[in-house]
Amino acid sequence: MDCKKALSATDGDMDKAIDFLREKGLASAAKKAGRVAAEGVVTSYIHAGGRIGVLVEVNCETDFVAGTPEFQDFARDIAMQIAAANPTCVRREEVDPAAIEHERQVLREQAINEGKPADIAAKMVEKYYKEVCLLDQPYIKDPDVTISDLVKGKIAKIGENISIRRFVRYQLGEGIEKKADNFVEEVMAAVK
């Protein structure tokens, strides 16, 4: 029935009907965004021979949806995204305001030093968000789609609110200061 309505609303134009249905789906996704998503899964992903590991919590409204293969695959794809793209937070609101202001100042100075207008720093801050915020990142399997758009598409398809609540990403050796070996000094010390 939705297809029939879309075709009649677009005077039989197939391409416009597809756009109409996509827009309708995203509009319904926006309506569902306010509903509580307290069910879901915590899933893991281990990559690169055990050198990177991710735990992510993806929520939905019902345990029925949480148990479906489609939802589980979606959660795994999100974990793979986190492993590959290394975001530091889920959404923009979680970025430390002091870090954003520092980044803005550095980018403003960088733009001025390169002879670019200072207002270009605002565009560069948007790029920074794409690096650190999971929902702003391009999806690794389809770079034309952001993770936020991917979530909205799943909401429209599944019919329930979905949210990525939190994640932890581990990388082997991260944060450990490695001792720098100087072979020449070791040899010289042994000779003396």
Side-chain angles (χ1 to χ4, degrees):
M1 286 304 293
D2 286 339
C3 293
K4 188 175 180 179
K5 287 178 188 175
L7 283 169
S8 66
T10 59
D11 298 323
D13 186 327
M14 197 72 133
D15 292 331
K16 287 182 181 177
I18 291 170
D19 289 341
F20 178 84
L21 287 171
R22 288 181 66 205
E23 290 168 4
K24 183 180 174 188
L26 292 178
S28 68
K31 289 179 190 173
K32 293 174 180 129
R35 300 194 319 212
V36 176
E39 295 296 327
V41 295
V42 173
T43 194
S44 63
Y45 176 74
I46 307 297
H47 184 73
R51 298 192 63 80
I52 298 173
V54 173
L55 284 174
V56 64
E57 179 180 348
V58 181
N59 297 120
C60 59
E61 294 178 44
T62 63
D63 58 347
F64 174 76
V65 167
T68 63
E70 181 178 3
F71 186 81
Q72 305 256 337
D73 290 344
F74 172 72
R76 183 163 172 77
D77 284 346
I78 296 300
M80 285 176 25
Q81 172 78 26
I82 294 165
N86 194 15
T88 58
C89 60
V90 176
R91 54 194 57 81
R92 288 181 179 208
E93 297 80 25
E94 296 171 3
V95 178
D96 179 17
I100 287 295
E101 188 53 39
H102 176 263
E103 192 69 20
R104 190 174 281 124
Q105 288 175 353
V106 168
L107 293 171
R108 187 177 301 122
E109 289 299 318
Q110 181 182 355
I112 291 169
N113 291 339
E114 293 176 1
K116 298 177 182 173
D119 64 333
I120 200 157
K123 293 177 183 173
M124 295 169 86
V125 168
E126 286 299 313
K127 185 178 176 188
Y128 176 74
Y129 279 125
K130 288 181 182 179
E131 291 174 12
V132 300
C133 300
L134 175 64
L135 293 177
D136 287 324
Q137 291 182 335
Y139 182 39
I140 57 173
K141 291 184 176 181
D142 183 1
D144 295 333
V145 176
T146 65
I147 298 299
S148 178
D149 293 338
L150 184 69
V151 170
K152 289 174 188 172
K154 284 295 177 191
I155 291 170
K157 186 173 182 182
I158 291 175
E160 284 193 8
N161 187 21
I162 296 173
S163 69
I164 302 168
R165 182 159 181 257
R166 58 188 168 169
F167 67 87
V168 176
R169 182 183 185 275
Y170 295 102
Q171 186 164 343
L172 189 66
E174 187 174 51
I176 298 174
E177 197 173 311
K178 295 180 181 177
K179 180 183 174 192
D181 294 331
N182 189 332
F183 184 69
V184 175
E185 287 180 7
E186 287 180 26
V187 171
M188 294 305 287
V191 172
K192 292 180 182 180

